[in-house]
Amino acid sequence: MNELISAFFSYAFLTRALFAGVLIALCAALLGVSLVLKNYALIGDGLSHVGFGALAVAAAANLAPLTVAVPVVVAAAFLLLRLRGRGAIRGDSAIAIFSTSALALGVMVSSVCGMNTDISAYLFGSILSMSESDVILSAVLCGIVLVLYVVFYHKIFMVTFDESFARATGTHTGFYDTLLAVLTAVTVVLGMRLMGTLLISSLIIFPSLSAMRVCRRFGSVVTVSAVISVVCVVAGLAVSYLFSTPAGASVVAANVVVFAAFALTGAVLARRRSRALLAEDSENAERI
Amino acid sequence: MALISCRDVTMTYENTVALRDLTFTVESGDYLCVLGENGSGKSTLIKGLLGLKAPARGTIAFGDGLRRNEIGYLPQQTQIQREFPACVSEVVLSGCLNRGGLPFYTRADRARAAEVLEKLELSGLARRSYRELSGGQQQRVLLARALCATHKLLLLDEPVSGLDPVASAHMYELLARLNREEGITIIMVSHDVHGALESANRILHLHTKMLYFGPAEDYFRTELGRRFLGDERHE
């Protein structure tokens, strides 16, 4: 254990992966709660594929990957929301069209220019992927995501719980939808390098779903999913380092284990609660 | 001046007219029940009153110092809400967010939420999870949230749909009490005529255009009122 801890702090690439991973996991978990509850979970998946396309093009053109991918994916997020709102193409289909065409473009560009290791690392994630400038960019952007989330927390709750009430009382729901989509886009692009394009959406979906098995308040769902997310990233990276498994897959595996544990706990708790309610009920009946 | 005055309001969607030449007023303290079949323009009227959709012609004006964000709206429940992990106090407090521009709750907001919970006999449920409540309790929680947003006007969209008769009766009782004791103006859109009519003092019957607007007692004497009530009874 001690060896593992010292490894994390003595290898610069591990420290970087851990630092960025924790920040990204935190953002993904917070945003994930709203996205899952609003049935927007697939947006993360769609955006990550768009991100892959952008990265492939950036690599082919020899540009800095993140500086290309962030604006492209943010623009895609805007477009996706607009398509959903218009209802011209139904939500899920719009996302599917976006993600597959971006993926296709990425694969074509990278095969024409020769598939390099970078691209396959983008698909499945790599613990080695974070450069120093990536980490700085991640830290800054994650900081912005976290601050905005905390500031607008109550508004985000209101809009997630009931969009029509929020709109009726003068809240610009469109603004908060866009905010969520943009923050998600940024988080997805940052996390893609570590987790892989194909797996990053699990970082958004899993922790909040696990938390919802057990928690019954919005506040606790948000807190617990943040904790789960961070713990799973740390555990996944440790496994990845120890057994040389891909980073993204290891983090997802950790999330699957946690989800199973929480689902089980949730079922047991629900059973106990309904039994308690029944007992209370029969007590009341006896009294009458 | 009336609390709400609609003059010659016509509202359209791309190429259909949803409401035509609607003129009516709501005074402070009124209990207005809006009747009509599906597709008669009731939901469109709600959108108009909430300012979510502008009338194609005519005007909707607010008086008595009512501001647009002071309407306590009780929308129909969605599937997302029924399974939403949130506790009752979180939901009710969110009704306070329209007051002041701050994205935080002040002490006054918390006090108001507690007071409303007390008034609607929900204090015991404040820490409970919304998704574990019965339909009637959930609806009362949403009413509490609406009351946090307003002192003046409640706008209710089918407030008893999906509730059993006992819960419906309880809901109507609460609304009547709020109207009578607190002087809160109520506009209710409903299918359920009988329960609604017990306490309403004005009726607005829509069928794209206005079929009836006036005192509730007179409505029962019209051919229209008798037919509509009769239809309901046979169902």
Side-chain angles (χ1 to χ4, degrees):
Chain A
M1 191 69 192
N2 278 340
E3 265 172 54
L4 183 65
I5 293 172
S6 65
F8 264 110
F9 290 100
S10 48
Y11 293 111
F13 77 92
L14 269 183
T15 319
R16 284 201 299 265
L18 188 70
F19 181 66
V22 164
L23 280 174
I24 291 160
L26 206 56
C27 295
L30 296 182
L31 296 168
V33 174
S34 285
L35 293 176
V36 166
L37 284 169
K38 283 174 84 102
N39 287 334
Y40 279 7
L42 268 180
I43 281 189
D45 199 49
L47 292 179
S48 64
H49 289 71
V50 174
F52 172 78
L55 285 184
V57 171
N62 242 340
L63 295 166
L66 286 188
T67 36
V68 176
V70 171
V72 168
V73 176
V74 167
F78 267 105
L79 255 169
L80 267 180
L81 275 188
R82 282 189 71 96
L83 278 182
R84 279 183 86 97
R86 288 254 186 84
I89 306 174
R90 288 253 313 277
D92 291 355
S93 326
I95 294 175
I97 286 180
F98 252 78
S99 58
T100 46
S101 28
L103 199 58
L105 177 74
V107 171
M108 278 170 70
V109 168
S110 57
S111 73
V112 168
C113 307
M115 185 84 173
N116 54 28
T117 44
D118 257 12
I119 297 291
S120 84
Y122 288 152
L123 274 177
F124 302 108
S126 159
I127 199 168
L128 300 168
S129 63
M130 295 308 242
S131 72
E132 200 154 316
S133 64
D134 288 344
V135 172
I136 293 170
L137 188 63
S138 304
V140 171
L141 289 179
C142 287
I144 294 173
V145 172
L146 289 177
V147 167
L148 285 176
Y149 192 87
V150 170
V151 168
F152 290 115
Y153 168 81
H154 292 299
K155 287 275 188 189
I156 290 173
F157 167 76
M158 188 198 207
V159 172
T160 310
F161 181 72
D162 192 342
E163 216 170 310
S164 33
F165 178 82
R167 222 179 303 140
T169 46
T171 303
H172 297 287
T173 53
F175 168 77
Y176 291 96
D177 273 348
T178 313
L179 182 71
L180 268 183
V182 169
L183 297 185
T184 308
V186 171
T187 309
V188 160
V189 174
L190 295 176
M192 228 155 69
R193 317 276 316 269
L194 196 62
M195 293 290 299
T197 349
L198 297 178
L199 297 173
I200 176 70
S201 59
S202 67
L203 210 57
I204 290 173
I205 300 168
F206 260 116
S208 54
L209 275 183
S210 301
M212 278 176 220
R213 297 306 101 193
V214 172
C215 303
R216 298 145 69 213
R217 305 181 48 198
F218 189 73
S220 48
V221 169
V222 169
T223 321
V224 170
S225 65
V227 172
I228 293 176
S229 188
V230 169
V231 168
C232 287
V233 160
V234 175
L237 289 180
V239 168
S240 166
Y241 168 71
L242 289 176
F243 303 103
S244 311
T245 50
S250 315
V251 174
V252 175
N255 266 305
V256 171
V257 171
V258 170
F259 179 77
F262 272 65
L264 199 68
T265 319
V268 171
L269 284 179
R271 201 133 165 225
R272 201 179 282 173
R273 216 175 287 134
S274 69
R275 235 185 255 150
L277 277 179
L278 273 180
E280 210 173 278
D281 222 43
S282 58
E283 240 172 63
N284 287 342
E286 269 168 34
R287 234 177 273 147
I288 295 163
Chain B
M1 194 187 163
L3 193 63
I4 297 176
S5 15
C6 289
R7 288 179 62 89
D8 304 317
V9 170
T10 296
M11 296 184 69
T12 54
Y13 291 101
E14 278 168 29
N15 36 26
T16 50
V17 177
L19 275 178
R20 193 189 297 281
D21 299 329
L22 194 59
T23 300
F24 70 95
T25 55
V26 181
E27 304 289 336
S28 287
D30 269 355
Y31 190 140
L32 171 72
C33 186
V34 182
L35 300 174
E37 287 149 28
N38 286 342
S40 58
K42 291 179 297 184
S43 319
T44 312
L45 177 62
I46 289 184
K47 282 189 190 148
L49 291 175
L50 290 173
L52 302 181
K53 186 169 170 55
R57 263 203 320 273
T59 54
I60 299 176
F62 291 160
D64 290 350
L66 180 71
R67 283 192 318 236
R68 181 143 273 159
N69 67 352
E70 281 181 325
I71 301 177
Y73 178 43
L74 184 72
Q76 294 191 41
Q77 278 217 62
T78 61
Q79 195 54 41
I80 293 182
Q81 278 161 24
R82 289 205 185 87
E83 290 147 22
F84 201 95
C87 78
V88 169
S89 58
E90 285 175 318
V91 174
V92 173
L93 261 173
S94 72
C96 295
L97 272 184
N98 66 326
R99 290 126 57 65
L102 289 177
F104 303 108
Y105 299 127
T106 62
R107 196 172 293 163
D109 290 338
R110 290 180 194 283
R112 178 157 175 79
E115 181 194 325
V116 168
L117 281 171
E118 184 71 34
K119 202 182 293 169
L120 299 190
E121 297 153 25
L122 288 167
S123 300
L125 300 178
R127 309 292 295 171
R128 286 278 295 278
S129 181
Y130 181 80
R131 64 180 170 191
E132 290 162 7
L133 304 180
S134 70
Q137 288 170 328
Q138 289 187 338
Q139 204 67 347
R140 254 192 295 153
V141 170
L142 296 187
L143 180 64
R145 178 184 62 172
L147 281 175
C148 276
T150 188
H151 288 279
K152 294 174 183 147
L153 173 67
L154 283 174
L155 180 58
L156 314 160
D157 191 357
E158 304 280 1
V160 299
S161 71
L163 298 190
D164 62 58
V166 178
S168 305
H170 190 67
M171 189 73 186
Y172 285 129
E173 221 174 276
L174 264 177
L175 292 174
R177 208 181 75 207
L178 290 169
N179 177 244
R180 207 172 48 233
E181 291 171 12
E182 317 260 326
I184 291 176
T185 310
I186 291 177
I187 300 177
M188 172 162 67
V189 167
S190 186
H191 269 104
D192 172 53
V193 211
H194 296 283
L197 294 188
E198 263 173 38
S199 22
N201 70 335
R202 317 282 286 172
I203 302 287
L204 173 63
H205 192 146
L206 293 178
H207 188 83
T208 308
K209 59 186 193 303
M210 197 165 82
L211 296 182
Y212 177 87
F213 173 67
E217 331 52 292
D218 295 351
Y219 178 72
F220 301 114
R221 292 195 208 103
T222 60
E223 173 65 16
L224 173 75
R226 278 207 299 274
R227 208 172 58 222
F228 200 71
L229 293 175
D231 282 355
E232 284 283 312
R233 226 167 260 149
H234 288 301
E235 269 174 18

